[in-house]
Amino acid sequence: MALPSDFVWGFATAAYQIEGATEKDGRAPSVWDSFCQIPGKIADGSSGVVACDSYKRTTEDIKLIKSLGAGAYRFSLSWSRIVPLGGRQDPVNQAGLDHYVRFVDNLIAAGITPFVTLSHWDIPLELDRRYGGILNRTEFPLDFEHFARVVFAALPKVKHWITFNEPWCSSALGYGVGQFAPGRCSDRSRCSSGNSATEPWIAGHSLLVAHGRAVRAYRQDFAPAHGGVIAITLNGDAAYPWDPADPADVEACQRRLEFVIGWFADPIYRGDYPALMRAQLGDRLPTFTPDERALVHGSNDFYGMNHYTADFIRHRKGPANSLDHLGHLELFSHNKNGDTIGAETQCPWLRPCPLGFRDVLVWISRRYGRPKIYVTENGTSVKGESDMSIETALEDDFRVRYFDTYVRAMADAVRLDGVDVRGYFAWSLMDNFEWAEGYVTRFGVCFVDYDDGQKRYPKKSARMLKPLFDSLVRKEDGL
């Protein structure tokens, strides 16, 4: 039994992906509400207007989580449901806040530990209109701190907080390629406005400073009484050289990790951006002021880790393009010899590679001084799942194998490599609005029947996690 006796596991979701009720009880639009209205941005032309209808089904969802044996649930808050216009001078919507107070109380009453993400990409639209949203490194952090303080005060029973989910996606996909809200980039065939050479780095910097402000507020004014911890969640895939005999491909793998993980983790754990990023980007990468550095450096009580897949990495020759945000390299699913990183899924970017999970856990642990790690997302889509009958989709053996091999790889990282992993959250509790992929792609361990009132049906993968963790988590008496 490799995992500690106090190890927690559960499922994860995000507000915009499951809640629906986008105009109910005073909620205002987020950048994703607006983004979904742009033709061609969402694969099936859908949005989160209804999603899984979870805003109205909290009692049902809690019973579902409980029935699957999970002891924890990670979910995010809709900022525009709590402070509809988003700003520190704007009114708080008590109905929206009360919704989450009740939800947290009911989770705890059911024996489920809440892990709460303050913002999972759905920034209030008004902040984007008012001053450019996360492109404003002065105003946005102040407004985010205010929102965080409102929530901290209202939810003292929450002991595990996450500021932002995957700031890389918000920055690189939202401002580099226009694939995510608010849909800005330099390519005018894809985006009506934006500058991919500068905006991703400005956005990332603002998110780090906002994270730092919220953490300082929590530590100084709430943690002493509430006794909780707070951190940020970062994504990161494993990287293997396309040609292991080529030193340039080997170096490109390190650059890949630094341009994704290090972009945000290095300032938090090491005090500044990675040297490889500065070498490529120069003064396009913002510089921390002394005050900003003091806010950000040391601002994690644990490391929130989202991980799904791995890539083969091949370096690019010549000077880097100013619009590049990957680290002057290419990503492949096959290496020079034609070997695949893993089997196909519904997502072109996702192929199972459980060894990559272990390797990234080890890389994070060694680079950042063996932090306590919570795996806040891990899961897979299944190729063609949305075209299957419900009966066939429920027999999701592909996803069962994914979870089994990935969780065991994580346990090996703990047992054999000394990585300090404290928790794991499967993505996701249920099929939901999968951002730019709409409802075409399913990640849930529970099937959602969008044609029959969003009914939930547990898949085989929903039932296998409890016995798996029972076999890996040490019992209190050590047996």
Side-chain angles (χ1 to χ4, degrees):
M1 290 187 172
L3 302 176
S5 60
D6 59 352
F7 191 91
V8 298
W9 73 270
F11 302 102
T13 60
Y16 191 71
Q17 292 181 270
I18 69 165
E19 283 188 351
T22 55
E23 297 181 357
K24 185 175 176 60
D25 294 341
R27 181 189 180 277
S30 74
V31 290
W32 270 93
D33 292 288
S34 176
F35 184 71
C36 289
Q37 295 175 9
I38 303 174
K41 290 299 185 182
I42 310 300
D44 56 3
S46 64
S47 72
V49 168
V50 177
C52 304
D53 199 33
S54 286
Y55 181 79
K56 304 173 186 175
R57 301 182 182 217
T58 54
T59 300
E60 177 184 343
D61 287 348
I62 290 172
K63 288 181 180 178
L64 180 61
I65 298 165
K66 188 73 173 177
S67 73
L68 300 178
Y73 182 51
R74 179 192 170 214
F75 64 97
S76 75
L77 309 176
S78 169
W79 183 346
S80 56
R81 202 180 287 285
I82 296 172
V83 184
L85 300 181
R88 56 196 182 277
Q89 306 301 327
D90 297 318
V92 172
N93 177 34
Q94 195 61 43
L97 191 59
D98 289 346
H99 167 79
Y100 293 112
V101 171
R102 288 192 300 270
F103 187 46
V104 165
D105 285 346
N106 291 338
L107 282 169
I108 293 172
I112 300 167
T113 300
F115 280 64
V116 179
T117 303
L118 291 170
S119 180
H120 194 127
W121 303 346
D122 50 345
I123 304 301
L125 179 62
E126 177 60 24
L127 298 188
D128 207 57
R129 291 172 171 167
R130 189 176 291 173
Y131 55 66
I134 62 175
L135 289 178
N136 192 313
R137 66 190 275 182
T138 302
E139 294 298 319
F140 179 79
L142 291 170
D143 283 343
F144 182 70
E145 178 185 346
H146 169 72
F147 163 62
R149 284 181 174 276
V150 169
V151 172
F152 294 152
L155 300 173
K157 296 178 184 177
V158 174
K159 308 303 179 186
H160 299 85
W161 292 98
I162 294 164
T163 53
F164 293 103
N165 180 78
E166 297 184 348
W168 184 92
C169 292
S170 297
S171 304
L173 301 184
Y175 295 85
V177 296
Q179 184 181 349
F180 277 14
R184 296 176 62 87
C185 68
S186 293
D187 183 351
R188 289 297 168 262
S189 69
R190 294 173 55 90
C191 308
S192 62
S193 58
N195 184 342
S196 303
T198 58
E199 289 186 359
W201 320 114
I202 295 169
H205 193 85
S206 294
L207 288 168
L208 277 168
V209 175
H211 156 78
R213 291 196 72 94
V215 170
R216 184 179 66 179
Y218 185 71
R219 286 176 173 174
Q220 290 183 352
D221 297 337
F222 298 95
H226 299 177
V229 290
I230 188 168
I232 196 169
T233 276
L234 308 178
N235 58 296
D237 302 331
Y240 297 107
W242 183 79
D243 181 0
D246 188 340
D249 284 357
V250 175
E251 180 185 352
C253 289
Q254 179 67 17
R255 202 159 59 247
R256 168 67 172 167
L257 293 169
E258 293 193 15
F259 263 73
V260 178
I261 299 173
W263 179 3
F264 299 95
D266 269 34
I268 290 171
Y269 288 97
R270 307 176 81 174
D272 207 350
Y273 292 116
L276 290 177
M277 289 187 71
R278 182 66 69 185
Q280 177 177 319
L281 300 172
D283 60 8
R284 288 187 290 124
L285 188 64
T287 300
F288 288 98
T289 67
D291 287 344
E292 289 174 339
R293 191 184 310 277
L295 281 170
V296 174
H297 191 200
S299 58
N300 258 5
D301 293 333
F302 60 89
Y303 187 107
M305 175 187 179
N306 288 359
H307 177 85
Y308 290 89
T309 190
D311 297 292
F312 289 117
I313 308 297
R314 185 168 69 184
H315 74 285
R316 289 185 180 273
K317 297 179 180 178
N321 187 307
S322 65
L323 304 184
D324 172 71
H325 64 272
L326 296 178
H328 198 40
L329 51 87
E330 297 176 278
L331 310 179
F332 294 92
S333 59
H334 293 75
N335 65 10
K336 182 180 180 181
N337 297 327
D339 303 318
T340 180
I341 203 76
E344 285 187 278
T345 69
Q346 182 64 30
C347 305
W349 57 269
L350 199 168
R351 288 174 177 247
C353 179
L355 178 61
F357 190 21
R358 178 179 172 183
D359 286 344
V360 174
L361 281 163
V362 171
W363 188 87
I364 290 169
S365 183
R366 291 176 178 173
R367 185 174 180 89
Y368 301 121
R370 199 172 176 265
K372 297 175 182 176
I373 297 174
Y374 285 89
V375 178
T376 43
E377 286 181 28
N378 178 237
T380 188
S381 59
V382 177
K383 191 172 180 62
E385 191 172 13
S386 283
D387 297 325
M388 299 175 185
S389 67
I390 295 178
E391 292 74 19
T392 302
L394 297 184
E395 297 295 315
D396 61 339
D397 290 318
F398 184 91
R399 187 175 285 109
V400 168
R401 287 192 298 272
Y402 181 98
F403 283 133
D404 184 74
T405 55
Y406 268 71
V407 169
R408 292 185 188 279
M410 175 185 69
D412 284 345
V414 174
R415 182 172 60 90
L416 302 177
D417 304 311
V419 181
D420 187 4
V421 185
R422 300 300 183 94
Y424 174 95
F425 292 83
W427 184 271
S428 173
L429 173 64
M430 66 188 87
D431 299 328
N432 53 54
F433 176 74
E434 189 49 42
W435 305 111
E437 297 177 46
Y439 298 97
V440 175
T441 301
R442 295 174 179 265
F443 271 86
V445 300
C446 295
F447 185 93
V448 176
D449 189 346
Y450 302 117
D451 296 324
D452 188 17
Q454 279 69 25
K455 292 180 181 177
R456 290 92 153 106
Y457 300 91
K459 304 173 188 177
K460 184 182 290 186
S461 60
R463 305 291 187 191
M464 56 81 63
L465 286 167
K466 184 180 188 305
L468 176 60
F469 280 106
D470 284 347
S471 72
L472 293 171
V473 176
R474 291 192 295 269
K475 304 300 185 287
E476 290 288 353
D477 59 7
L479 299 177

